[in-house]
Amino acid sequence: MYRYDEFDAEFVKQRVDQFRDQVQRRVAGELTEDEFKPLRLMNGLYLQLHAYMLRVAIPYGTLSATQMYKLADIADKYDKGYGHFTTRQNIQFNWPKLNDVPDILEELASVEMHAIQTSGNCIRNVTTDQWAGVAADEIEDPRPVCELIRQWSTLNPEFAYLPRKFKIAVTGSSNDRAAVKAHDIGIITHKNENGDIGYEILIGGGLGRTPFIGKTVKKFVGKDRLLAYIEAVMRVYNLQGRRDNKYKARIKILTHETGIEKLSEMIEREFERIDKAQGELELAELNRIESYFEPPQYSSEQDDSTALQQSLEANEQFNYWYNTNVAKHQQPGYAIVNISLKPIEGIPGDATSAQMRLVAQLAEQFSLSEIRVTHEQNLVLPYVKQADLFTLWQQLEQHDLGNSNLGLITDIIACPGLDYCALATARSIPIAQKISKVFADRRKQQDIGKLQINISGCINACGHHHVGNIGILGLDKKGEEYYQITLGGNADENAAIGKITGPGFSKDEIAGAVETVVNTYIENRQTDENFIQTHSRIGDVPFKEALYGPN
Amino acid sequence: MTTKVIMANDLLSGDVIFLSRDSRSWTKFLDQAWASDSEQLVEQMLAAAQDSHMIIGAEAIEVEHDHTGLALTVFREHLRSRGPSVRTDLGKQAELKQAA
């Protein structure tokens, strides 16, 4: 993992002191709320529906056990005993008091964490594949690039006041688990015919009220010129992006209105102006950062799969969990363990302080003290020996964390919605709970297979409903919550925006409507075809007819 | 003219609060809220609330009278006044339950 150097530590400390002073001035009446609001937002502090909400950055979703213990302590000491893992690999606390926030930030700083770049019109926390550094299909660990971008973007005065917020995601594998095509900049790692590693750059992806899939603007840029290219994109956006209308200010609108060819030319011109010598410095810094992400000392013990096989044969539940939640590791004898935060009828992404401590303890015991947060609102233990899997699973089971549903219909992504969010127009969580109850049966879930449901409580789309195989958007219709369904969305390397089926459904109807969609899939699917494949083959019409009747 | 209450957030706690019946202090509970159907009075109270640096986002919100007293007419405000519907152990709804 990356460790703070003296500059990082000093910078974060200064920000805490600065914010403590700002809070004191606000409470004393020396700052108005209008003056204070942008300052608190720069430190991740929002005012939500019932209380303040503090969003803490988890850079590229990587956490140490020590950091997870600290998050659990903060949840108990300053909040209400739980936290919410978000669709951008961060964590939110829903009930902090204003005067406590500087103390919370100080506690976070003690474990090299902060809440910077989690709000405002800046470059936000860079996200990536939760299996970075361990995925069997990986070309390169994407975290050093994420860290390089984090360091370059933090406090970069040129990009402190962008037209709008800016989100960057990186994948080190051609199998995209970071939804890079739904980001302002998406970075895909490639290896060319010479064996050199470089990056494809996509721009203009984004969800919200005007969803777009990102377009490739550069097919291959080398390591030494990556940051220069990103800088060129940011400069063009900073100059050309609209500032007169916040709904048209994201780079996706600029890309759409300007056209990718013309924008590409503008970026290339800017790119050429950037001193190539800068690349050597950046490469040296990237190499320095890479040293923090060296693969760990894996155990040299021979893998004994016999015990694992015996446990799999002897215990059906463990077998099911293994097949659902455990992924292939790049190191023989190891496994990637995915911990689902989606119990049946639970709140997607919520974890109690006790669960956080258990995960931290399990990470210490079984995963070289490292944890990942996923944009699907789950957790990952990336370095588990296969021989430890059964013992680990037993402990997860005991603490309600052994949910065997990764990638299945009950692994629902949902924003906090109107239960917490001041922007929301409808609730998301109760809808996720209802759907999860309808499909609670394990065999039914297994039979349905891979299917991603995403729920957003408003058009801002924090639940990423546009790229859900089944997307649900909650809206307000004359004071009543109602829900639109979209079908055919996809967040992976075949990214697509789902299409609206037709009129929405009430909160009491929506779970039934989803069941109708799923039944239509089951009736029409061919052997081994998952939902999105069937939808792609037969189109919307059979689903629409099932939902609304012929014509 | 409809009946309105003054609803805001407390600067320190972030809690949703209402102007109290005494029209000077603030309360967390709607049943203790000041309410009026005088447009002029509502505007006066709202302006005073907006002047207080310890109060954030004061708004005049429509209510109706039902068998329990005052009731918020918009679902969003109803949720705000109680707490998350998916965690009834949290928010003011939990305090009300404890008090009962």
Side-chain angles (χ1 to χ4, degrees):
Chain A
M1 277 184 70
Y2 182 73
R3 301 300 312 266
Y4 278 13
D5 60 21
E6 60 190 295
F7 300 106
D8 294 316
E10 183 55 29
F11 159 64
V12 173
K13 184 185 172 305
Q14 278 177 8
R15 277 297 284 263
V16 174
D17 294 344
Q18 220 173 46
F19 190 59
R20 190 180 295 284
D21 178 60
Q22 288 160 350
V23 169
Q24 282 168 0
R25 286 159 61 207
R26 173 67 183 102
V27 174
E30 293 166 18
L31 291 175
T32 65
E33 184 57 22
D34 283 349
E35 288 164 335
F36 180 63
K37 188 177 172 184
L39 303 174
R40 68 168 159 79
L41 288 174
M42 280 181 203
N43 291 283
L45 187 64
Y46 291 71
L47 184 62
Q48 290 287 43
L49 210 60
H50 311 292
Y52 288 106
M53 178 274 280
L54 181 67
R55 183 180 294 154
V56 177
I58 302 176
Y60 34 92
T62 298
L63 274 177
S64 68
T66 307
Q67 290 171 328
M68 187 66 112
Y69 280 125
K70 179 58 77 178
L71 293 174
D73 290 347
I74 288 169
D76 282 339
K77 193 170 167 187
Y78 301 103
D79 211 85
K80 294 187 187 284
Y82 71 105
H84 175 75
F85 290 100
T86 76
T87 55
R88 297 212 74 251
Q89 298 182 303
N90 292 320
I91 186 169
Q92 296 180 173
F93 293 109
N94 289 307
W95 307 90
K97 308 291 181 208
L98 180 61
N99 278 328
D100 287 338
V101 175
D103 294 336
I104 298 174
L105 296 178
E106 194 168 309
E107 295 218 22
L108 289 169
S110 73
V111 294
E112 304 187 349
M113 295 185 83
H114 57 69
I116 301 163
Q117 289 171 284
T118 61
S119 176
N121 294 340
C122 61
I123 298 174
R124 299 287 188 89
N125 184 33
V126 181
T127 55
T128 192
D129 183 353
Q130 61 270 16
W131 299 347
V134 293
D137 57 2
E138 188 171 85
I139 296 166
E140 177 188 69
D141 183 347
R143 289 172 302 164
V145 164
C146 295
E147 178 57 29
L148 182 74
I149 297 169
R150 187 190 72 78
Q151 292 189 12
W152 161 82
S153 63
T154 300
L155 274 200
N156 188 328
E158 192 174 350
F159 308 125
Y161 292 96
L162 294 168
R164 197 77 175 87
K165 60 187 169 184
F166 203 93
K167 298 174 182 175
I168 302 177
V170 188
T171 173
S173 161
S174 55
N175 296 310
D176 179 9
R177 289 175 286 268
V180 302
K181 294 183 180 178
H183 284 73
D184 295 284
I185 290 182
I187 301 175
I188 303 173
T189 309
H190 292 295
K191 194 179 266 186
N192 68 13
E193 58 276 15
N194 300 323
D196 298 324
I197 287 176
Y199 309 95
E200 178 183 351
I201 312 292
L202 294 93
I203 60 168
L207 303 175
R209 65 185 62 219
T210 322
F212 285 106
I213 295 300
K215 294 183 173 71
T216 299
V217 67
K218 185 86 171 170
K219 285 190 176 159
F220 193 90
V221 61
K223 272 179 187 276
D224 60 331
R225 297 286 281 155
L226 173 65
L227 215 46
Y229 196 83
I230 296 172
E231 195 160 282
V233 173
M234 297 308 304
R235 282 184 181 166
V236 170
Y237 168 59
N238 209 8
L239 278 171
Q240 304 292 330
R242 287 179 63 170
R243 290 174 188 265
D244 60 325
N245 181 341
K246 71 182 274 197
Y247 301 116
K248 294 183 184 294
R250 297 286 290 267
I251 195 173
K252 60 188 175 182
I253 304 295
L254 178 67
T255 309
H256 179 67
E257 289 183 350
T258 311
I260 190 73
E261 290 81 14
K262 193 172 171 194
L263 205 55
S264 167
E265 286 167 18
M266 293 160 84
I267 293 166
E268 281 298 324
R269 276 200 297 276
E270 189 60 43
F271 182 49
E272 288 307 314
R273 284 177 47 188
I274 297 173
D275 186 0
K276 288 193 174 57
Q278 192 180 309
E280 286 177 29
L281 287 172
E282 285 160 9
L283 199 54
E285 180 58 11
L286 187 59
N287 290 337
R288 186 186 76 83
I289 292 170
E290 275 172 346
S291 67
Y292 288 98
F293 295 95
E294 286 290 315
Q297 289 291 318
Y298 288 112
S299 165
S300 55
E301 288 167 36
Q302 283 299 305
D303 172 32
D304 177 14
S305 59
T306 319
L308 174 62
Q309 281 309 322
Q310 283 171 350
S311 301
L312 288 169
E313 282 162 22
N315 191 314
E316 190 201 352
Q317 243 182 309
F318 171 60
N319 192 316
Y320 183 74
W321 174 82
Y322 176 84
N323 284 309
T324 314
N325 287 41
V326 177
K328 194 177 175 196
H329 202 284
Q330 56 183 233
Q331 179 72 17
Y334 282 77
I336 303 168
V337 168
N338 297 279
I339 301 171
S340 164
L341 295 180
K342 316 287 175 64
I344 298 302
E345 295 189 74
I347 297 178
D350 273 15
T352 64
S353 56
Q355 288 175 324
M356 289 186 222
R357 285 195 187 93
L358 176 81
V359 172
Q361 180 210 313
L362 294 176
E364 285 177 328
Q365 199 177 344
F366 298 112
S367 181
L368 305 174
S369 294
E370 199 172 307
I371 302 146
R372 307 285 175 76
V373 181
T374 82
H375 84 269
E376 291 100 348
Q377 303 173 286
N378 293 317
L379 299 174
V380 173
L381 296 179
Y383 303 108
V384 181
K385 284 185 198 165
Q386 289 189 347
D388 291 333
L389 285 171
F390 186 63
T391 314
L392 170 61
W393 170 76
Q394 285 176 311
Q395 296 200 41
L396 289 170
E397 272 286 288
Q398 279 170 23
H399 295 85
D400 203 22
L401 286 170
N403 316 298
S404 305
N405 60 357
L406 202 88
L408 300 180
I409 191 165
T410 58
D411 183 6
I412 298 168
I413 294 174
C415 70
L418 192 54
D419 275 299
Y420 291 97
C421 179
L423 298 174
T425 43
R427 287 173 295 170
S428 306
I429 299 166
I431 305 306
Q433 290 172 318
K434 277 184 191 174
I435 294 170
S436 141
K437 189 178 178 186
V438 167
F439 295 100
D441 182 77
R442 204 175 74 185
R443 284 177 184 81
K444 194 171 180 181
Q445 291 184 53
Q446 198 170 21
D447 175 52
I448 294 164
K450 190 175 181 310
L451 201 166
Q452 182 65 61
I453 296 180
N454 293 52
I455 309 174
S456 301
C458 77
I459 196 65
N460 293 303
C462 294
H464 302 171
H465 66 279
H466 297 296
V467 289
N469 300 160
I470 299 175
I472 298 170
L473 167 62
L475 294 164
D476 176 293
K477 190 177 182 182
K478 294 179 184 163
E480 295 290 324
E481 297 165 293
Y482 83 109
Y483 297 87
Q484 273 180 356
I485 292 180
T486 51
L487 297 179
N490 199 349
D492 66 17
E493 59 280 4
N494 302 309
I497 302 292
K499 287 188 191 145
I500 297 169
T501 53
F505 299 88
S506 73
K507 67 178 191 298
D508 298 323
E509 295 167 336
I510 185 66
V514 170
E515 199 172 14
T516 301
V517 169
V518 172
N519 288 340
T520 307
Y521 151 63
I522 290 170
E523 284 158 20
N524 286 278
R525 70 182 169 187
Q526 294 177 349
T527 314
D528 293 335
E529 214 176 36
N530 66 30
F531 176 85
I532 203 70
Q533 290 165 333
T534 299
H535 176 267
S536 171
R537 179 173 54 79
I538 67 176
D540 287 331
V541 173
F543 295 97
K544 286 184 178 180
E545 286 185 354
L547 284 170
Y548 307 107
N551 303 314
Chain B
M1 173 67 189
T2 50
T3 306
K4 288 189 174 173
V5 296
I6 307 296
M7 199 173 184
N9 288 89
D10 177 68
L11 173 69
L12 296 179
S13 64
D15 282 341
V16 175
I17 48 176
F18 301 93
L19 184 67
S20 290
R21 278 189 208 126
D22 64 11
S23 69
R24 286 188 298 276
S25 59
W26 292 81
T27 174
K28 292 207 280 185
F29 303 106
L30 180 63
D31 63 356
Q32 295 164 17
W34 173 90
S36 175
D37 51 10
S38 157
E39 201 168 330
Q40 195 185 357
L41 260 180
V42 167
E43 274 179 23
Q44 272 178 21
M45 292 299 171
L46 184 60
Q50 284 166 341
D51 275 350
S52 167
H53 84 274
M54 298 301 281
I55 302 302
I56 315 172
E59 289 176 283
I61 301 288
E62 194 178 315
V63 288
E64 58 189 15
H65 296 272
D66 69 7
H67 63 285
T68 61
L70 295 174
L72 291 152
T73 57
V74 177
F75 181 64
R76 179 182 187 275
E77 308 308 340
H78 174 72
L79 264 184
R80 273 186 84 193
S81 73
R82 297 185 60 79
S85 70
V86 291
R87 288 293 304 264
T88 54
D89 58 324
L90 301 176
K92 290 203 284 285
Q93 58 199 349
E95 291 177 49
L96 284 167
K97 213 187 293 175
Q98 266 185 344

